Amino acid sequence: MTETTRYSGGGFVHIKNPHLEAMDEDVLYHLDLGTKTHDLPAMFGDVKFVCVGGSPNRMRAFAQFMHKELGLEGDGEDLADICAGTDRYAMYRVGPLLSISHGMGIPSVSIMLHELIKLLHHAKCRDVTIIRIGTSGGLGVQAGSVVITDRAVDACFQPRFEQVVLGDVVVRGTDLDGGLVEELLACSKAIPDFPTLVGHTMCTYDFYEGQGRLDGALCSFSNEKKLEYLKRAHDAGVRNIEMESTAFAALCGLCGLRAAVVCVTLLDRLEGDQIRASHEVLQEYQQRPQRLVAAFIRRRLGLRAAAGNTRPSSD
C-alpha cells in the first residue's frame, strides 16, 4: 500500500508516530536538541521557512546571505551553529528561516528530517514551507541550469519512495506542492542570468553505478547501455539526478510540510560522467538555487532585495 501526501489541518506539522506521546522526553540526538533541555517553542515557534542542503559550509553561507536579504541588523558573520554540540549537521536561525545541512544521500537526509520534523512539531510551528537547495547532474539540459522539481521519481522513473520496515517494503508517495513549483518558477523570471526549468528529478541510492556512471570503482555495463538508460529517463521527463528528493518529498508530505526541491545542474550526464568545471564556476552555479529561493522568501515576506547583495558569499 502506498502512503500518500496529506497536508495538515490548521497548518501545524504533524508527526505520524503514536509512541511519541507517551515519551517523557524526546531527545533529538543528531541535532543536539531535546524537549527537556531546550525551550523549542521559544526557539523555533515562529519559523516559517526551512531550507536544507548537503553541505554545512554552504548552508552557513546561505544563512549569512539571507541575513542581509532580510535586512536584519549586523553583518551575519557571527551566526551561531545551533547544532554545534554534534558533528552530524549544522543549523542556523535567521529571522523566520532555518538553514540546515543534511549530508549526502537518503540515509543522511532521512535522519535529519525525522528529527527536524519532530522539532517543528514540538515547537508548534505553523504554515512551514521547506525547500531543498542543492546540486545535481543534468539530463539534456545545460550545466548551470536550475531545475524546480515537479515530481521526484526513483531509478525506475516511478514517483515513490520505498523503505524496508521490519522486513516489509513500505511504499510512500513523493508528491510535491504544485503551487510552490509555480511560485518558484514565477520568481525565476526576475533572475534572467541563468536558465530555470521545471522537470522530474530522479533520486538514486548511489552516485556511481546507481546513476549509470562509468568512472566508479565498479562498473558492470557498457557506455551504450548507460546512454540507453539515461535517454529513457529523459524521455520519462527526468531533467536532473540527485540522491535525496524521494525521501525528502515523502517525509515532508506525510507530515504536512509544503515542500519543494530546487537544484542546479553541474553537468549534462548525456555528455559525460565527471564534473570538470572550475572551482570558481562551480561556486557560482551552487549559488543559483540560493538566489532563487531568496527571491521566493523575499516575495512571500513582501520584501525587496537587499541593496548591493545579489549573490551569496562563497563557502
Side-chain angles (χ1 to χ4, degrees):
M1 179 179 178
T2 301
E3 296 181 79
T4 56
T5 298
R6 288 184 176 85
Y7 294 116
S8 303
F12 287 107
V13 179
H14 288 292
I15 51 177
K16 304 291 184 177
N17 181 359
H19 303 290
L20 290 179
E21 298 301 324
M23 293 171 52
D24 181 56
E25 179 182 9
D26 190 5
V27 177
L28 309 179
Y29 173 71
H30 300 89
L31 301 182
D32 193 37
L33 296 167
T35 55
K36 280 195 170 181
T37 55
H38 298 79
D39 186 344
L40 299 180
M43 293 174 68
F44 303 104
D46 57 347
V47 165
K48 296 298 182 184
F49 304 97
V50 179
C51 292
V52 304
S55 162
N57 286 339
R58 193 184 308 152
M59 298 317 292
R60 184 175 189 274
F62 178 66
Q64 292 172 330
F65 174 55
M66 288 306 304
H67 187 277
K68 297 175 183 176
E69 290 290 285
L70 296 177
L72 301 179
E73 293 184 3
D75 58 12
E77 293 299 318
D78 58 348
L79 286 176
D81 179 3
I82 298 170
C83 301
T86 176
D87 60 358
R88 298 298 183 183
Y89 305 105
M91 177 191 297
Y92 301 93
R93 171 75 192 268
V94 182
L97 167 74
L98 281 183
S99 179
I100 312 171
S101 68
H102 60 58
M104 289 182 67
I106 284 174
S108 185
V109 74
S110 176
I111 292 167
M112 187 279 291
L113 282 173
H114 272 278
E115 297 186 14
L116 169 65
I117 290 168
K118 291 196 297 176
L119 182 158
L120 297 173
H121 171 77
H122 292 313
K124 305 186 187 318
C125 295
R126 298 184 64 174
D127 302 318
V128 176
T129 297
I130 181 168
I131 303 176
R132 167 170 142 67
I133 50 178
T135 59
S136 62
L139 208 55
V141 299
Q142 70 183 77
S145 300
V146 172
V147 179
I148 304 168
T149 304
D150 62 353
R151 173 174 288 186
V153 301
D154 65 13
C156 295
F157 323 138
Q158 296 301 309
R160 64 192 178 194
F161 171 58
E162 294 186 349
Q163 174 80 40
V164 178
V165 180
L166 302 181
D168 296 322
V169 177
V170 176
V171 182
R172 290 169 171 149
T174 57
D175 292 342
L176 290 163
D177 188 276
L180 272 181
V181 172
E182 294 302 320
E183 197 171 350
L184 285 160
L185 185 62
C187 289
S188 74
K189 306 303 182 185
I191 314 176
D193 53 327
F194 57 81
T196 301
L197 64 143
V198 173
H200 297 358
T201 295
M202 183 168 74
C203 179
T204 68
Y205 288 91
D206 168 55
F207 184 80
Y208 286 98
E209 284 190 302
Q211 295 188 9
R213 279 185 163 85
L214 302 174
D215 59 344
L218 301 173
C219 186
S220 57
F221 46 83
S222 65
N223 184 56
E224 292 73 22
K225 190 71 172 175
K226 176 196 86 168
L227 288 175
E228 186 272 334
Y229 173 73
L230 292 180
K231 288 175 181 177
R232 281 198 294 120
H234 185 269
D235 290 344
V238 174
R239 293 298 177 266
N240 64 333
I241 308 170
E242 44 87 274
M243 297 186 290
E244 293 87 16
S245 60
T246 54
F248 174 82
L251 269 69
C252 292
L254 284 169
C255 293
L257 287 164
R258 296 189 181 276
V261 179
V262 181
C263 290
V264 68
T265 61
L266 302 184
L267 77 168
D268 181 354
R269 286 296 317 288
L270 294 176
E271 297 180 355
D273 293 339
Q274 295 201 332
I275 300 168
R276 300 185 182 277
S278 69
H279 176 74
E280 291 73 22
V281 168
L282 293 177
Q283 287 282 2
E284 196 277 322
Y285 283 175
Q286 291 170 20
Q287 293 168 1
R288 293 180 176 186
Q290 300 181 29
R291 292 171 60 198
L292 174 54
V293 171
F296 162 79
I297 293 174
R298 289 195 312 267
R299 179 172 171 172
R300 276 283 186 93
L301 296 175
L303 300 175
R304 294 177 177 270
N309 187 70
T310 59
R311 299 174 188 270
S313 61
S314 300
D315 289 352

